[in-house]
Amino acid sequence: MEFLKNQETAEKIEKFTSKKLGSLKINKILADYYRTKEFKPRKADNILNCSSYLLFRNYLDSNRTRKLVAANFCKHPLCLMCAWRLHLKRVFELQQGIELLKQQEPDMKFYFLNLTVKNWSTIDKAKLRDLQAKAVKFIRKSLGVKDYYCSLEITISKANGELPYHPHIHSILGTTEALGTTLQDINKLRQIWRKVYGETEHDFLEMTLYPIRENSINEVTKYILKPEQKISEKEVIDIAIAITGLKKTFSAGKLRRGIQDASEGIKTQNGLFLTKIELYGFFDEFYRWVDNKYLIKTLDE
């Protein structure tokens, strides 16, 4: 085993190192909780040791293609490493799904929608499900949109006097009918969202709606928790409990089918690509997480 010396190789796993370091605090909190409170030592170990090894395959084709072919990911939704990996997958699938729909239905227009609520003092599964259900009601009934992709995000407020939990729903909407996005239109829709959610006009509920922009897909596929957030042990556990068994993303109509078609197409392309690329041969690189860094070693060490 030796420290990474090749700069190009080091740069290829720089993001993995960053996400691994960012995951350490939250994953330790989660592991301690599952071990001591839930009595799930195997789950605790999986979270604590998430991505402690990475196996990259380097194909000897003209592009020197490099793929991650094995790793011990824990797949917990609050693990920043796993959330980042899932985010990349969802971005690609949603981009491809939208492109397919644009080809199939040139008249379809796409919008970004953000629905927020007043901060909560506590968070639980029932309240999150209610928020999701009311978001769907607003999209389907108030906006008249049947094709959508939605995701849940929870931010933590650290401002003095504010309640800590701020959940909101990000959405991509697809429709052949133009949606009103003027200031007057938005003000009317905000009033409707307040009524759908069941709050008074004096309570703060925000709503934004505009045609999708360059960063819209990134917004709607973000992590449940922002990686840069400062979050307490209690807040990590409260959110982990609240989202257990909860759908973090949900979709309907042509957008759902477009994403599914895109996902199947990606799998087929990858299969054909890897079958072809095997003709060129390959070599593997194996990394272990040691002393807060990834070290490279040969498989026979």
Side-chain angles (χ1 to χ4, degrees):
M1 182 182 295
E2 60 180 9
F3 287 98
L4 294 174
K5 295 179 180 178
N6 185 292
Q7 184 61 33
E8 182 180 355
T9 303
E11 287 174 357
K12 289 181 179 180
I13 67 164
E14 183 178 350
K15 288 187 177 180
F16 280 92
T17 301
S18 173
K19 300 305 177 184
K20 176 66 175 176
L21 288 170
S23 301
L24 295 178
K25 178 182 175 182
I26 287 178
N27 285 25
K28 185 178 187 308
I29 292 171
L30 291 169
D32 290 345
Y33 168 75
Y34 288 116
R35 183 175 288 108
T36 60
K37 301 295 184 181
E38 296 285 338
F39 307 107
K40 297 178 179 178
R42 180 175 294 180
K43 185 171 185 176
D45 289 341
N46 288 342
I47 293 171
L48 192 62
N49 297 313
C50 178
S51 58
S52 60
Y53 74 81
L54 306 170
L55 177 61
F56 288 94
R57 181 152 293 171
N58 298 268
Y59 295 94
L60 303 178
D61 62 317
S62 58
N63 295 323
R64 288 299 186 264
T65 306
R66 192 169 191 263
K67 286 184 175 292
L68 181 70
V69 295
N72 58 332
F73 295 122
C74 69
K75 299 182 180 179
H76 193 285
L78 297 188
C79 168
L80 298 184
M81 173 69 83
C82 294
W84 168 63
R85 298 262 310 152
L86 184 59
H87 159 73
L88 296 177
K89 178 177 181 290
R90 286 174 173 165
V91 165
F92 195 66
E93 289 178 348
L94 190 51
Q95 285 174 336
Q96 295 298 308
I98 289 174
E99 288 305 313
L100 283 174
L101 286 178
K102 285 180 177 179
Q103 294 171 18
Q104 295 167 3
E105 298 197 35
D107 294 334
M108 183 166 277
K109 304 169 183 65
F110 296 92
Y111 295 84
F112 175 80
L113 171 71
N114 182 29
L115 297 172
T116 73
V117 298
K118 187 173 64 174
N119 285 20
W120 297 348
S121 59
T122 60
I123 192 164
D124 61 58
K125 192 180 306 181
K127 290 172 70 175
L128 289 173
R129 280 180 172 160
D130 181 63
L131 170 61
Q132 291 177 328
K134 288 174 177 174
V136 169
K137 181 178 179 181
F138 178 80
I139 291 169
R140 297 182 71 91
K141 302 295 184 183
S142 304
L143 296 179
V145 173
K146 310 299 182 186
D147 308 309
Y148 54 84
Y149 175 94
C150 301
S151 65
L152 170 69
E153 182 184 356
I154 303 167
T155 54
I156 303 297
S157 173
K158 295 298 182 180
N160 292 334
E162 284 193 19
L163 302 177
Y165 301 104
H166 182 56
H168 40 288
I169 304 292
H170 293 306
S171 309
I172 295 291
L173 312 178
T175 174
T176 54
E177 300 293 329
L179 300 178
T181 58
T182 67
L183 182 59
Q184 185 177 10
D185 293 328
I186 297 301
N187 285 334
K188 288 180 180 178
L189 289 172
R190 284 171 180 161
Q191 296 297 324
I192 295 171
W193 169 233
R194 289 184 176 107
K195 291 178 182 178
V196 170
Y197 189 70
E199 296 281 4
T200 68
E201 293 185 6
H202 299 291
D203 288 325
F204 179 80
L205 280 83
E206 190 55 270
M207 190 227 73
T208 54
L209 175 69
Y210 49 78
I212 60 171
R213 302 169 182 167
E214 186 176 347
N215 68 335
S216 294
I217 293 177
N218 274 318
E219 284 291 309
V220 83
T221 56
K222 286 194 302 189
Y223 317 161
I224 291 178
L225 289 175
K226 289 183 177 179
E228 68 275 11
Q229 281 189 136
K230 293 183 179 179
I231 183 168
S232 69
E233 180 177 341
K234 179 181 184 304
E235 290 161 349
V236 171
I237 300 307
D238 285 349
I239 294 173
I241 294 171
I243 64 173
T244 300
L246 184 78
K247 284 189 175 181
K248 292 76 176 177
T249 63
F250 48 98
S251 57
K254 296 172 183 176
L255 259 176
R256 175 187 285 178
R257 292 193 293 273
I259 293 168
Q260 291 172 341
D261 290 344
S263 179
E264 289 302 315
I266 293 166
K267 290 178 183 177
T268 301
Q269 290 175 8
N270 283 343
L272 293 173
F273 171 77
L274 292 178
T275 299
K276 182 179 179 181
I277 212 73
E278 291 284 355
L279 298 174
Y280 296 97
F282 61 87
F283 66 91
D284 289 336
E285 291 176 325
F286 185 73
Y287 298 91
R288 279 283 188 188
W289 183 255
V290 180
D291 296 330
N292 285 341
K293 59 177 69 70
Y294 281 111
L295 304 181
I296 189 170
K297 60 176 293 186
T298 62
L299 292 178
D300 57 357
E301 284 187 281

